[in-house]
Amino acid sequence: MTNNSFEPIPSSFMFKSLLDKNTIIMTANPRIALVTKGIMRAAKEMDAPLILELARSECNLEGGYAGLTPAAISKITRDAAKELEFDMWALHADHIGIKKGTDEDIEETKKLVDAQIAAGYTSFAIDASHLFNFQGGNLREELADNIDATTKIGLHIKEGMGDKGYGLEVEVGEIGREDENGRVLTQPEEAATFIKALNENGVHPHFIAIANGSAHGNTYDTNGNLIEQVSVDIEQTIAVAQALKDNDLDVRIAQHGITGTPRDLIHNHFPHGDIVKGNVATFYQNIVWDIFKVYEPELYKDIWDWTIANYKEKAPEKNDNELFGKFSKFSIKEFFDRIYSVGEDTLEAIDAMCYAETLIFIKAFNGQGTAQAVRDSLN
């Protein structure tokens, strides 16, 4: 079966056909959607499956900080896929965040999910990892609120999708959370307990995001200089994946926070197959800003000035470079019309850079040629 309509496919097909293979599914964030075609072109050329995703904070019913609704990003990505005749992609709702777990919070989240389903999303990530009971007597009690919220939204997605296939990601251990000892890492038994509880409740995820040492966005040293991110605890990641296998749970790890991670580290040391989904987000935003410096200097200066003016008081301890790196994403909605009306030469540069960099990511992920296995599973 070929996907001649070039519509997004369920990420569950990618997961099932590549389970325990030596590969990671390239997952890119087009929060500035100008990057979409370059990313897709690279995936098509490498014959690699691709997941495109935006988080709730970026893309929601009000437009999020990226100024995009589910319907808007769905149209942009579908149009790009049809233009490029790219058949091997999924549209994923990343970080459907549930921060409070109250009835009102759950109902608002259901409305967002309904809009995502109506927009034709084929993959969903429920993130209730913030709901953790530090006073719990055992793991099940500590995770109870996360399990409850994830179950409610998981069953709502199941009902809304009906007989349509879809992929599901869940999250245990808040990505990047720190205590007095540094980054808090997800324990193997924590992940297994979480997935078992969800399965008992009728929710069957494919991917699990864990806290394994990474953090979202750019990474800076104490002086505010941009640095590589080499904090992923590979041994812990392998231990979590092994615990899932030992408990006969067909769930593997979604690696968040890859921006800044050296590609040779990913290629040579990441446990491909234990990690099956690799999220690359802020990296693509950085490409756009770097190109704007040269191709759209006035726009770049205005974005820079706006960011510093609006966030200096919120983080006075950070230097301007770090402030911009951490908070410039909130400028996207503010400068939406100008960003999306840049010149043709700017668009060509963005397309070329995103294409080239995505080739390198897919190579590092061992993704080349793996789309055929997914096509076979669609039959």
Side-chain angles (χ1 to χ4, degrees):
M1 172 182 171
T2 13
N3 178 16
N4 291 326
S5 65
F6 310 111
E7 288 287 300
I9 66 168
S11 66
S12 54
F13 284 104
M14 299 179 183
F15 173 80
K16 289 170 183 173
S17 57
L18 300 174
L19 182 63
D20 294 330
K21 302 288 197 297
N22 186 34
T23 187
I24 298 170
I25 301 163
M26 176 68 200
T27 306
N29 176 308
R31 74 173 63 129
I32 301 174
L34 305 178
V35 304
T36 306
K37 286 184 191 175
I39 295 167
M40 275 191 178
R41 279 202 308 121
K44 181 181 179 183
E45 176 154 324
M46 297 285 271
D47 199 32
L50 171 70
I51 297 173
L52 291 170
E53 64 180 21
L54 286 174
R56 179 178 191 166
S57 56
E58 300 165 311
C59 173
N60 54 39
L61 298 176
E62 293 75 45
Y65 69 70
L68 296 163
T69 62
I73 194 60
S74 178
K75 183 177 188 320
I76 290 167
T77 51
R78 279 176 154 79
D79 287 351
K82 287 183 174 67
E83 180 184 329
L84 297 170
E85 298 187 342
F86 180 55
D87 67 329
M88 200 41 54
W89 67 289
L91 183 57
H92 181 76
D94 191 30
H95 288 295
I96 303 173
I98 305 165
K99 298 288 178 71
K100 299 174 184 171
T102 59
D103 290 345
E104 184 183 6
D105 192 10
I106 296 296
E107 288 310 307
E108 285 301 307
T109 304
K110 285 179 178 178
K111 287 178 190 171
L112 174 62
V113 166
D114 290 343
Q116 291 165 339
I117 292 171
Y121 278 60
T122 57
S123 192
F124 306 85
I126 305 165
D127 177 9
S129 61
H130 299 81
L131 304 178
F132 189 88
N133 177 12
F134 290 95
Q135 278 71 52
N138 58 41
L139 268 177
R140 193 68 179 252
E141 290 174 8
E142 289 174 342
L143 295 169
D145 291 342
N146 187 348
I147 292 164
D148 180 60
T150 302
T151 296
K152 285 173 180 170
I153 300 304
L155 293 176
H156 187 75
I157 293 169
K158 190 176 184 179
E159 181 184 358
M161 290 298 284
D163 58 0
K164 289 184 285 194
Y166 63 95
L168 184 64
E169 180 178 332
V170 295
E171 187 159 328
V172 66
E174 187 184 337
I175 308 295
R177 186 167 68 83
E178 297 185 356
D179 62 12
E180 63 278 4
N181 300 313
R183 296 258 166 92
V184 178
L185 303 182
T186 300
Q187 299 304 308
E189 59 274 20
E190 187 181 355
T193 299
F194 184 55
I195 297 297
K196 279 184 190 172
L198 293 176
N199 287 175
E200 288 166 14
N201 293 347
V203 176
H204 296 273
H206 305 97
F207 312 98
I208 180 170
I210 63 169
N212 65 348
S214 70
H216 291 116
N218 293 316
T219 305
Y220 295 84
D221 65 15
T222 52
N223 297 316
N225 300 308
L226 186 65
I227 57 171
E228 291 183 333
Q229 175 167 257
V230 290
S231 54
V232 173
D233 190 321
I234 290 171
E235 287 184 13
Q236 185 80 349
T237 304
I238 293 169
V240 171
Q242 191 59 49
L244 295 168
K245 293 175 193 173
D246 290 346
N247 285 277
D248 295 321
L249 301 167
D250 282 341
V251 182
R252 297 295 179 267
I253 292 163
Q255 179 65 54
H256 288 230
I258 284 178
T259 293
T261 307
R263 261 81 65 96
D264 60 328
L265 174 68
I266 296 169
H267 187 253
N268 298 326
H269 298 291
F270 267 32
H272 299 66
D274 287 339
I275 296 171
V276 294
K277 176 176 179 279
N279 292 13
V280 186
T282 303
F283 183 93
Y284 288 105
Q285 172 189 292
N286 293 345
I287 286 176
V288 174
W289 293 161
D290 283 346
I291 288 170
F292 279 8
K293 286 178 190 176
V294 178
Y295 282 74
E296 307 284 342
E298 286 182 17
L299 175 55
Y300 180 79
K301 182 180 185 305
D302 289 346
I303 290 170
W304 174 281
D305 290 346
W306 181 92
T307 304
I308 304 307
N310 279 276
Y311 290 94
K312 191 68 175 175
E313 284 185 15
K314 294 180 183 177
E317 76 286 356
K318 298 186 189 304
N319 71 18
D320 287 358
N321 278 328
E322 186 173 0
L323 266 180
F324 186 79
K326 296 281 189 188
F327 298 110
S328 58
K329 61 186 181 182
F330 298 114
S331 73
I332 299 169
K333 191 173 189 174
E334 184 76 16
F335 292 89
F336 190 90
D337 291 342
R338 289 176 67 188
I339 288 170
Y340 284 91
S341 56
V342 293
E344 273 303 316
D345 56 343
T346 309
L347 295 177
E348 286 174 10
I350 292 170
D351 187 74
M353 283 295 291
C354 291
Y355 167 77
E357 295 288 0
T358 304
L359 290 179
I360 301 170
F361 271 114
I362 291 171
K363 182 69 175 174
F365 288 174
N366 291 338
Q368 65 273 28
T370 57
Q372 192 53 51
V374 186
R375 285 189 199 96
D376 293 343
S377 77
L378 286 166
N379 291 325

